[in-house]
Amino acid sequence: AAYDGTIMFVSHDRYFIDRIATHVWSIDGGAINVHIGNYSDFARRKASQPAPAERSNTATNRASDERSDSSSKQRPSDKEVRRTSQQVRALEREISELEERLNKLSRDLAAASDSGDLERISELGKEYETVQDRLDSSYEQWEVLTEDLSVKTEAIRNA
């Protein structure tokens, strides 16, 4: 714990991870995700994220609320739906590119680790964290836009 350098370790010992880790790297769907904090921080954030089914239910509930609210806005235009759909597709392309970039950075980090190039590991680690932050932000934007698109589409269907 007193060591001032970087240590990468793999462990299932949550207590050890909580005491030592300042970043947790998780593997999900073949992608490595970097989370700042210890294991408890990671677990709290993960538990607070709604499950995919809950997110779709939220969008459905919002559409239902809009229908039942007599003061709700007018039916969205086809142009609004197309624009939101284009934004979703653009974000999906960006997310794909960022995921590819993270995969490349992971391979580069492994190579730098194998060669013991500490300067390169540090440089790649910082870049990885920056790209991961952009990816997280893009995912959040995507979720908002897809919910918005779902609400707009539902409003058109029910008009």
Side-chain angles (χ1 to χ4, degrees), residues 126-156:
K126 288 175 186 172
E127 185 178 355
Y128 190 100
E129 191 171 339
T130 299
V131 173
Q132 182 65 55
D133 289 344
R134 284 182 50 206
L135 180 61
D136 291 343
S137 175
S138 295
Y139 271 127
E140 288 172 12
Q141 291 172 357
W142 179 84
E143 288 176 11
V144 169
L145 283 173
T146 55
E147 283 184 27
D148 184 41
L149 182 59
S150 176
V151 168
K152 287 176 180 174
T153 308
E154 186 73 18
I156 289 173

PDB file of all heavy atoms in Angstrom, residues 126-156:
ATOM      1  N   LYS A 126      -2.716   6.345 -19.323  1.00  0.00           N
ATOM      2  CA  LYS A 126      -3.399   7.642 -19.321  1.00  0.00           C
ATOM      3  C   LYS A 126      -4.320   7.767 -20.536  1.00  0.00           C
ATOM      4  O   LYS A 126      -5.450   8.240 -20.429  1.00  0.00           O
ATOM      5  CB  LYS A 126      -2.381   8.778 -19.304  1.00  0.00           C
ATOM      6  CG  LYS A 126      -1.672   8.917 -17.980  1.00  0.00           C
ATOM      7  CD  LYS A 126      -0.584   9.969 -18.039  1.00  0.00           C
ATOM      8  CE  LYS A 126       0.214   9.975 -16.746  1.00  0.00           C
ATOM      9  NZ  LYS A 126       1.390  10.838 -16.818  1.00  0.00           N
ATOM     10  N   GLU A 127      -3.809   7.361 -21.690  1.00  0.00           N
ATOM     11  CA  GLU A 127      -4.631   7.418 -22.906  1.00  0.00           C
ATOM     12  C   GLU A 127      -5.838   6.493 -22.783  1.00  0.00           C
ATOM     13  O   GLU A 127      -6.946   6.843 -23.174  1.00  0.00           O
ATOM     14  CB  GLU A 127      -3.797   7.059 -24.137  1.00  0.00           C
ATOM     15  CG  GLU A 127      -4.568   7.212 -25.427  1.00  0.00           C
ATOM     16  CD  GLU A 127      -3.745   6.905 -26.673  1.00  0.00           C
ATOM     17  OE1 GLU A 127      -2.517   6.647 -26.561  1.00  0.00           O
ATOM     18  OE2 GLU A 127      -4.343   6.905 -27.757  1.00  0.00           O
ATOM     19  N   TYR A 128      -5.607   5.319 -22.213  1.00  0.00           N
ATOM     20  CA  TYR A 128      -6.703   4.364 -22.027  1.00  0.00           C
ATOM     21  C   TYR A 128      -7.801   4.983 -21.166  1.00  0.00           C
ATOM     22  O   TYR A 128      -8.990   4.896 -21.485  1.00  0.00           O
ATOM     23  CB  TYR A 128      -6.174   3.083 -21.375  1.00  0.00           C
ATOM     24  CG  TYR A 128      -7.183   1.960 -21.364  1.00  0.00           C
ATOM     25  CD1 TYR A 128      -7.128   0.948 -22.305  1.00  0.00           C
ATOM     26  CD2 TYR A 128      -8.212   1.928 -20.428  1.00  0.00           C
ATOM     27  CE1 TYR A 128      -8.061  -0.076 -22.318  1.00  0.00           C
ATOM     28  CE2 TYR A 128      -9.155   0.918 -20.429  1.00  0.00           C
ATOM     29  CZ  TYR A 128      -9.074  -0.085 -21.378  1.00  0.00           C
ATOM     30  OH  TYR A 128     -10.002  -1.088 -21.391  1.00  0.00           O
ATOM     31  N   GLU A 129      -7.391   5.616 -20.077  1.00  0.00           N
ATOM     32  CA  GLU A 129      -8.358   6.230 -19.175  1.00  0.00           C
ATOM     33  C   GLU A 129      -9.146   7.341 -19.881  1.00  0.00           C
ATOM     34  O   GLU A 129     -10.363   7.452 -19.720  1.00  0.00           O
ATOM     35  CB  GLU A 129      -7.640   6.791 -17.947  1.00  0.00           C
ATOM     36  CG  GLU A 129      -8.566   7.194 -16.852  1.00  0.00           C
ATOM     37  CD  GLU A 129      -7.838   7.534 -15.565  1.00  0.00           C
ATOM     38  OE1 GLU A 129      -6.693   7.103 -15.374  1.00  0.00           O
ATOM     39  OE2 GLU A 129      -8.436   8.248 -14.754  1.00  0.00           O
ATOM     40  N   THR A 130      -8.464   8.142 -20.692  1.00  0.00           N
ATOM     41  CA  THR A 130      -9.132   9.214 -21.437  1.00  0.00           C
ATOM     42  C   THR A 130     -10.151   8.644 -22.412  1.00  0.00           C
ATOM     43  O   THR A 130     -11.292   9.113 -22.490  1.00  0.00           O
ATOM     44  CB  THR A 130      -8.093  10.062 -22.202  1.00  0.00           C
ATOM     45  OG1 THR A 130      -7.191  10.642 -21.257  1.00  0.00           O
ATOM     46  CG2 THR A 130      -8.747  11.154 -23.014  1.00  0.00           C
ATOM     47  N   VAL A 131      -9.748   7.614 -23.158  1.00  0.00           N
ATOM     48  CA  VAL A 131     -10.654   6.996 -24.137  1.00  0.00           C
ATOM     49  C   VAL A 131     -11.822   6.327 -23.411  1.00  0.00           C
ATOM     50  O   VAL A 131     -12.974   6.424 -23.850  1.00  0.00           O
ATOM     51  CB  VAL A 131      -9.902   6.004 -25.043  1.00  0.00           C
ATOM     52  CG1 VAL A 131     -10.854   5.236 -25.942  1.00  0.00           C
ATOM     53  CG2 VAL A 131      -8.853   6.733 -25.879  1.00  0.00           C
ATOM     54  N   GLN A 132     -11.554   5.684 -22.277  1.00  0.00           N
ATOM     55  CA  GLN A 132     -12.620   5.036 -21.502  1.00  0.00           C
ATOM     56  C   GLN A 132     -13.625   6.075 -21.007  1.00  0.00           C
ATOM     57  O   GLN A 132     -14.835   5.837 -21.048  1.00  0.00           O
ATOM     58  CB  GLN A 132     -12.040   4.263 -20.313  1.00  0.00           C
ATOM     59  CG  GLN A 132     -13.092   3.533 -19.493  1.00  0.00           C
ATOM     60  CD  GLN A 132     -13.781   2.432 -20.264  1.00  0.00           C
ATOM     61  OE1 GLN A 132     -13.118   1.553 -20.798  1.00  0.00           O
ATOM     62  NE2 GLN A 132     -15.099   2.460 -20.332  1.00  0.00           N
ATOM     63  N   ASP A 133     -13.142   7.233 -20.563  1.00  0.00           N
ATOM     64  CA  ASP A 133     -14.050   8.299 -20.126  1.00  0.00           C
ATOM     65  C   ASP A 133     -14.932   8.767 -21.279  1.00  0.00           C
ATOM     66  O   ASP A 133     -16.131   8.989 -21.103  1.00  0.00           O
ATOM     67  CB  ASP A 133     -13.266   9.482 -19.552  1.00  0.00           C
ATOM     68  CG  ASP A 133     -12.638   9.182 -18.200  1.00  0.00           C
ATOM     69  OD1 ASP A 133     -13.030   8.186 -17.557  1.00  0.00           O
ATOM     70  OD2 ASP A 133     -11.741   9.953 -17.793  1.00  0.00           O
ATOM     71  N   ARG A 134     -14.329   8.931 -22.464  1.00  0.00           N
ATOM     72  CA  ARG A 134     -15.107   9.323 -23.647  1.00  0.00           C
ATOM     73  C   ARG A 134     -16.148   8.260 -23.991  1.00  0.00           C
ATOM     74  O   ARG A 134     -17.285   8.577 -24.349  1.00  0.00           O
ATOM     75  CB  ARG A 134     -14.188   9.570 -24.847  1.00  0.00           C
ATOM     76  CG  ARG A 134     -13.440  10.886 -24.774  1.00  0.00           C
ATOM     77  CD  ARG A 134     -12.566  11.148 -25.970  1.00  0.00           C
ATOM     78  NE  ARG A 134     -13.257  10.978 -27.235  1.00  0.00           N
ATOM     79  CZ  ARG A 134     -12.652  10.657 -28.373  1.00  0.00           C
ATOM     80  NH1 ARG A 134     -11.351  10.493 -28.417  1.00  0.00           N
ATOM     81  NH2 ARG A 134     -13.350  10.517 -29.477  1.00  0.00           N
ATOM     82  N   LEU A 135     -15.754   6.999 -23.875  1.00  0.00           N
ATOM     83  CA  LEU A 135     -16.681   5.905 -24.161  1.00  0.00           C
ATOM     84  C   LEU A 135     -17.843   5.909 -23.171  1.00  0.00           C
ATOM     85  O   LEU A 135     -19.007   5.778 -23.563  1.00  0.00           O
ATOM     86  CB  LEU A 135     -15.950   4.561 -24.129  1.00  0.00           C
ATOM     87  CG  LEU A 135     -16.794   3.321 -24.411  1.00  0.00           C
ATOM     88  CD1 LEU A 135     -17.410   3.383 -25.806  1.00  0.00           C
ATOM     89  CD2 LEU A 135     -15.951   2.058 -24.249  1.00  0.00           C
ATOM     90  N   ASP A 136     -17.544   6.082 -21.887  1.00  0.00           N
ATOM     91  CA  ASP A 136     -18.608   6.133 -20.875  1.00  0.00           C
ATOM     92  C   ASP A 136     -19.577   7.271 -21.169  1.00  0.00           C
ATOM     93  O   ASP A 136     -20.791   7.099 -21.095  1.00  0.00           O
ATOM     94  CB  ASP A 136     -18.011   6.301 -19.471  1.00  0.00           C
ATOM     95  CG  ASP A 136     -17.252   5.082 -18.996  1.00  0.00           C
ATOM     96  OD1 ASP A 136     -17.421   3.987 -19.577  1.00  0.00           O
ATOM     97  OD2 ASP A 136     -16.453   5.224 -18.043  1.00  0.00           O
ATOM     98  N   SER A 137     -19.034   8.420 -21.526  1.00  0.00           N
ATOM     99  CA  SER A 137     -19.863   9.577 -21.858  1.00  0.00           C
ATOM    100  C   SER A 137     -20.726   9.302 -23.094  1.00  0.00           C
ATOM    101  O   SER A 137     -21.915   9.639 -23.129  1.00  0.00           O
ATOM    102  CB  SER A 137     -18.977  10.804 -22.094  1.00  0.00           C
ATOM    103  OG  SER A 137     -19.736  11.892 -22.527  1.00  0.00           O
ATOM    104  N   SER A 138     -20.130   8.672 -24.091  1.00  0.00           N
ATOM    105  CA  SER A 138     -20.871   8.340 -25.310  1.00  0.00           C
ATOM    106  C   SER A 138     -21.998   7.351 -25.017  1.00  0.00           C
ATOM    107  O   SER A 138     -23.100   7.473 -25.562  1.00  0.00           O
ATOM    108  CB  SER A 138     -19.933   7.764 -26.373  1.00  0.00           C
ATOM    109  OG  SER A 138     -19.011   8.737 -26.785  1.00  0.00           O
ATOM    110  N   TYR A 139     -21.729   6.367 -24.152  1.00  0.00           N
ATOM    111  CA  TYR A 139     -22.775   5.416 -23.769  1.00  0.00           C
ATOM    112  C   TYR A 139     -23.924   6.135 -23.064  1.00  0.00           C
ATOM    113  O   TYR A 139     -25.094   5.850 -23.314  1.00  0.00           O
ATOM    114  CB  TYR A 139     -22.226   4.322 -22.843  1.00  0.00           C
ATOM    115  CG  TYR A 139     -21.690   3.112 -23.562  1.00  0.00           C
ATOM    116  CD1 TYR A 139     -20.415   2.638 -23.309  1.00  0.00           C
ATOM    117  CD2 TYR A 139     -22.468   2.422 -24.492  1.00  0.00           C
ATOM    118  CE1 TYR A 139     -19.919   1.530 -23.961  1.00  0.00           C
ATOM    119  CE2 TYR A 139     -21.980   1.311 -25.149  1.00  0.00           C
ATOM    120  CZ  TYR A 139     -20.709   0.866 -24.875  1.00  0.00           C
ATOM    121  OH  TYR A 139     -20.228  -0.238 -25.518  1.00  0.00           O
ATOM    122  N   GLU A 140     -23.592   7.072 -22.170  1.00  0.00           N
ATOM    123  CA  GLU A 140     -24.638   7.820 -21.473  1.00  0.00           C
ATOM    124  C   GLU A 140     -25.478   8.623 -22.463  1.00  0.00           C
ATOM    125  O   GLU A 140     -26.709   8.632 -22.375  1.00  0.00           O
ATOM    126  CB  GLU A 140     -24.014   8.749 -20.424  1.00  0.00           C
ATOM    127  CG  GLU A 140     -23.455   8.020 -19.225  1.00  0.00           C
ATOM    128  CD  GLU A 140     -22.663   8.915 -18.294  1.00  0.00           C
ATOM    129  OE1 GLU A 140     -22.725  10.159 -18.444  1.00  0.00           O
ATOM    130  OE2 GLU A 140     -21.979   8.370 -17.409  1.00  0.00           O
ATOM    131  N   GLN A 141     -24.829   9.283 -23.411  1.00  0.00           N
ATOM    132  CA  GLN A 141     -25.550  10.050 -24.431  1.00  0.00           C
ATOM    133  C   GLN A 141     -26.430   9.115 -25.268  1.00  0.00           C
ATOM    134  O   GLN A 141     -27.574   9.449 -25.598  1.00  0.00           O
ATOM    135  CB  GLN A 141     -24.582  10.804 -25.343  1.00  0.00           C
ATOM    136  CG  GLN A 141     -23.864  11.930 -24.674  1.00  0.00           C
ATOM    137  CD  GLN A 141     -22.780  12.517 -25.579  1.00  0.00           C
ATOM    138  OE1 GLN A 141     -22.530  12.038 -26.675  1.00  0.00           O
ATOM    139  NE2 GLN A 141     -22.139  13.574 -25.102  1.00  0.00           N
ATOM    140  N   TRP A 142     -25.883   7.960 -25.623  1.00  0.00           N
ATOM    141  CA  TRP A 142     -26.623   6.988 -26.426  1.00  0.00           C
ATOM    142  C   TRP A 142     -27.885   6.537 -25.688  1.00  0.00           C
ATOM    143  O   TRP A 142     -28.953   6.435 -26.279  1.00  0.00           O
ATOM    144  CB  TRP A 142     -25.724   5.800 -26.758  1.00  0.00           C
ATOM    145  CG  TRP A 142     -26.397   4.743 -27.565  1.00  0.00           C
ATOM    146  CD1 TRP A 142     -26.553   4.704 -28.917  1.00  0.00           C
ATOM    147  CD2 TRP A 142     -27.025   3.554 -27.060  1.00  0.00           C
ATOM    148  NE1 TRP A 142     -27.239   3.569 -29.284  1.00  0.00           N
ATOM    149  CE2 TRP A 142     -27.534   2.852 -28.164  1.00  0.00           C
ATOM    150  CE3 TRP A 142     -27.194   3.023 -25.780  1.00  0.00           C
ATOM    151  CZ2 TRP A 142     -28.204   1.642 -28.033  1.00  0.00           C
ATOM    152  CZ3 TRP A 142     -27.869   1.823 -25.649  1.00  0.00           C
ATOM    153  CH2 TRP A 142     -28.363   1.143 -26.770  1.00  0.00           C
ATOM    154  N   GLU A 143     -27.749   6.246 -24.388  1.00  0.00           N
ATOM    155  CA  GLU A 143     -28.909   5.812 -23.604  1.00  0.00           C
ATOM    156  C   GLU A 143     -29.997   6.887 -23.593  1.00  0.00           C
ATOM    157  O   GLU A 143     -31.183   6.580 -23.769  1.00  0.00           O
ATOM    158  CB  GLU A 143     -28.490   5.466 -22.173  1.00  0.00           C
ATOM    159  CG  GLU A 143     -27.710   4.177 -22.081  1.00  0.00           C
ATOM    160  CD  GLU A 143     -27.212   3.877 -20.680  1.00  0.00           C
ATOM    161  OE1 GLU A 143     -27.642   4.562 -19.717  1.00  0.00           O
ATOM    162  OE2 GLU A 143     -26.404   2.954 -20.544  1.00  0.00           O
ATOM    163  N   VAL A 144     -29.598   8.140 -23.390  1.00  0.00           N
ATOM    164  CA  VAL A 144     -30.570   9.234 -23.371  1.00  0.00           C
ATOM    165  C   VAL A 144     -31.257   9.358 -24.730  1.00  0.00           C
ATOM    166  O   VAL A 144     -32.484   9.465 -24.813  1.00  0.00           O
ATOM    167  CB  VAL A 144     -29.883  10.564 -22.978  1.00  0.00           C
ATOM    168  CG1 VAL A 144     -30.796  11.762 -23.211  1.00  0.00           C
ATOM    169  CG2 VAL A 144     -29.428  10.520 -21.522  1.00  0.00           C
ATOM    170  N   LEU A 145     -30.467   9.329 -25.794  1.00  0.00           N
ATOM    171  CA  LEU A 145     -31.041   9.474 -27.135  1.00  0.00           C
ATOM    172  C   LEU A 145     -31.932   8.300 -27.524  1.00  0.00           C
ATOM    173  O   LEU A 145     -32.976   8.487 -28.146  1.00  0.00           O
ATOM    174  CB  LEU A 145     -29.940   9.654 -28.177  1.00  0.00           C
ATOM    175  CG  LEU A 145     -29.305  11.037 -28.235  1.00  0.00           C
ATOM    176  CD1 LEU A 145     -28.117  11.053 -29.193  1.00  0.00           C
ATOM    177  CD2 LEU A 145     -30.320  12.090 -28.639  1.00  0.00           C
ATOM    178  N   THR A 146     -31.547   7.078 -27.167  1.00  0.00           N
ATOM    179  CA  THR A 146     -32.383   5.934 -27.525  1.00  0.00           C
ATOM    180  C   THR A 146     -33.694   5.961 -26.746  1.00  0.00           C
ATOM    181  O   THR A 146     -34.739   5.588 -27.285  1.00  0.00           O
ATOM    182  CB  THR A 146     -31.671   4.585 -27.326  1.00  0.00           C
ATOM    183  OG1 THR A 146     -31.187   4.482 -25.986  1.00  0.00           O
ATOM    184  CG2 THR A 146     -30.536   4.405 -28.308  1.00  0.00           C
ATOM    185  N   GLU A 147     -33.644   6.410 -25.491  1.00  0.00           N
ATOM    186  CA  GLU A 147     -34.892   6.556 -24.734  1.00  0.00           C
ATOM    187  C   GLU A 147     -35.767   7.628 -25.369  1.00  0.00           C
ATOM    188  O   GLU A 147     -36.979   7.448 -25.512  1.00  0.00           O
ATOM    189  CB  GLU A 147     -34.599   6.905 -23.275  1.00  0.00           C
ATOM    190  CG  GLU A 147     -34.136   5.720 -22.457  1.00  0.00           C
ATOM    191  CD  GLU A 147     -33.943   6.045 -20.993  1.00  0.00           C
ATOM    192  OE1 GLU A 147     -34.606   6.972 -20.486  1.00  0.00           O
ATOM    193  OE2 GLU A 147     -33.136   5.361 -20.350  1.00  0.00           O
ATOM    194  N   ASP A 148     -35.142   8.740 -25.765  1.00  0.00           N
ATOM    195  CA  ASP A 148     -35.870   9.830 -26.410  1.00  0.00           C
ATOM    196  C   ASP A 148     -36.501   9.340 -27.718  1.00  0.00           C
ATOM    197  O   ASP A 148     -37.661   9.623 -28.007  1.00  0.00           O
ATOM    198  CB  ASP A 148     -34.922  11.001 -26.663  1.00  0.00           C
ATOM    199  CG  ASP A 148     -35.621  12.216 -27.242  1.00  0.00           C
ATOM    200  OD1 ASP A 148     -36.743  12.534 -26.803  1.00  0.00           O
ATOM    201  OD2 ASP A 148     -35.020  12.867 -28.132  1.00  0.00           O
ATOM    202  N   LEU A 149     -35.733   8.596 -28.494  1.00  0.00           N
ATOM    203  CA  LEU A 149     -36.239   8.062 -29.753  1.00  0.00           C
ATOM    204  C   LEU A 149     -37.414   7.109 -29.502  1.00  0.00           C
ATOM    205  O   LEU A 149     -38.419   7.149 -30.211  1.00  0.00           O
ATOM    206  CB  LEU A 149     -35.119   7.345 -30.512  1.00  0.00           C
ATOM    207  CG  LEU A 149     -35.463   6.775 -31.880  1.00  0.00           C
ATOM    208  CD1 LEU A 149     -35.945   7.875 -32.821  1.00  0.00           C
ATOM    209  CD2 LEU A 149     -34.245   6.060 -32.464  1.00  0.00           C
ATOM    210  N   SER A 150     -37.290   6.290 -28.495  1.00  0.00           N
ATOM    211  CA  SER A 150     -38.367   5.356 -28.155  1.00  0.00           C
ATOM    212  C   SER A 150     -39.639   6.112 -27.767  1.00  0.00           C
ATOM    213  O   SER A 150     -40.734   5.755 -28.200  1.00  0.00           O
ATOM    214  CB  SER A 150     -37.910   4.452 -26.999  1.00  0.00           C
ATOM    215  OG  SER A 150     -38.947   3.615 -26.592  1.00  0.00           O
ATOM    216  N   VAL A 151     -39.482   7.148 -26.967  1.00  0.00           N
ATOM    217  CA  VAL A 151     -40.633   7.954 -26.542  1.00  0.00           C
ATOM    218  C   VAL A 151     -41.282   8.630 -27.753  1.00  0.00           C
ATOM    219  O   VAL A 151     -42.511   8.614 -27.901  1.00  0.00           O
ATOM    220  CB  VAL A 151     -40.207   9.003 -25.485  1.00  0.00           C
ATOM    221  CG1 VAL A 151     -41.298  10.042 -25.244  1.00  0.00           C
ATOM    222  CG2 VAL A 151     -39.825   8.315 -24.184  1.00  0.00           C
ATOM    223  N   LYS A 152     -40.458   9.208 -28.625  1.00  0.00           N
ATOM    224  CA  LYS A 152     -40.989   9.888 -29.815  1.00  0.00           C
ATOM    225  C   LYS A 152     -41.713   8.907 -30.734  1.00  0.00           C
ATOM    226  O   LYS A 152     -42.795   9.191 -31.240  1.00  0.00           O
ATOM    227  CB  LYS A 152     -39.875  10.586 -30.582  1.00  0.00           C
ATOM    228  CG  LYS A 152     -39.355  11.833 -29.898  1.00  0.00           C
ATOM    229  CD  LYS A 152     -38.190  12.431 -30.648  1.00  0.00           C
ATOM    230  CE  LYS A 152     -37.679  13.688 -29.953  1.00  0.00           C
ATOM    231  NZ  LYS A 152     -36.463  14.212 -30.575  1.00  0.00           N
ATOM    232  N   THR A 153     -41.119   7.758 -30.943  1.00  0.00           N
ATOM    233  CA  THR A 153     -41.713   6.752 -31.818  1.00  0.00           C
ATOM    234  C   THR A 153     -43.036   6.259 -31.235  1.00  0.00           C
ATOM    235  O   THR A 153     -44.028   6.102 -31.951  1.00  0.00           O
ATOM    236  CB  THR A 153     -40.743   5.569 -32.029  1.00  0.00           C
ATOM    237  OG1 THR A 153     -39.477   6.077 -32.455  1.00  0.00           O
ATOM    238  CG2 THR A 153     -41.253   4.601 -33.047  1.00  0.00           C
ATOM    239  N   GLU A 154     -43.054   6.022 -29.934  1.00  0.00           N
ATOM    240  CA  GLU A 154     -44.275   5.583 -29.255  1.00  0.00           C
ATOM    241  C   GLU A 154     -45.359   6.646 -29.346  1.00  0.00           C
ATOM    242  O   GLU A 154     -46.530   6.336 -29.580  1.00  0.00           O
ATOM    243  CB  GLU A 154     -43.961   5.260 -27.788  1.00  0.00           C
ATOM    244  CG  GLU A 154     -45.107   4.662 -27.016  1.00  0.00           C
ATOM    245  CD  GLU A 154     -45.394   3.218 -27.386  1.00  0.00           C
ATOM    246  OE1 GLU A 154     -44.531   2.550 -27.975  1.00  0.00           O
ATOM    247  OE2 GLU A 154     -46.510   2.766 -27.074  1.00  0.00           O
ATOM    248  N   ALA A 155     -44.975   7.915 -29.197  1.00  0.00           N
ATOM    249  CA  ALA A 155     -45.949   9.009 -29.279  1.00  0.00           C
ATOM    250  C   ALA A 155     -46.564   9.077 -30.675  1.00  0.00           C
ATOM    251  O   ALA A 155     -47.767   9.328 -30.839  1.00  0.00           O
ATOM    252  CB  ALA A 155     -45.281  10.334 -28.923  1.00  0.00           C
ATOM    253  N   ILE A 156     -45.745   8.855 -31.715  1.00  0.00           N
ATOM    254  CA  ILE A 156     -46.250   8.869 -33.089  1.00  0.00           C
ATOM    255  C   ILE A 156     -47.219   7.711 -33.307  1.00  0.00           C
ATOM    256  O   ILE A 156     -48.277   7.857 -33.890  1.00  0.00           O
ATOM    257  CB  ILE A 156     -45.093   8.852 -34.108  1.00  0.00           C
ATOM    258  CG1 ILE A 156     -44.380  10.197 -34.101  1.00  0.00           C
ATOM    259  CG2 ILE A 156     -45.580   8.484 -35.494  1.00  0.00           C
ATOM    260  CD1 ILE A 156     -43.113  10.246 -34.941  1.00  0.00           C
TER     261      ILE A 156
END
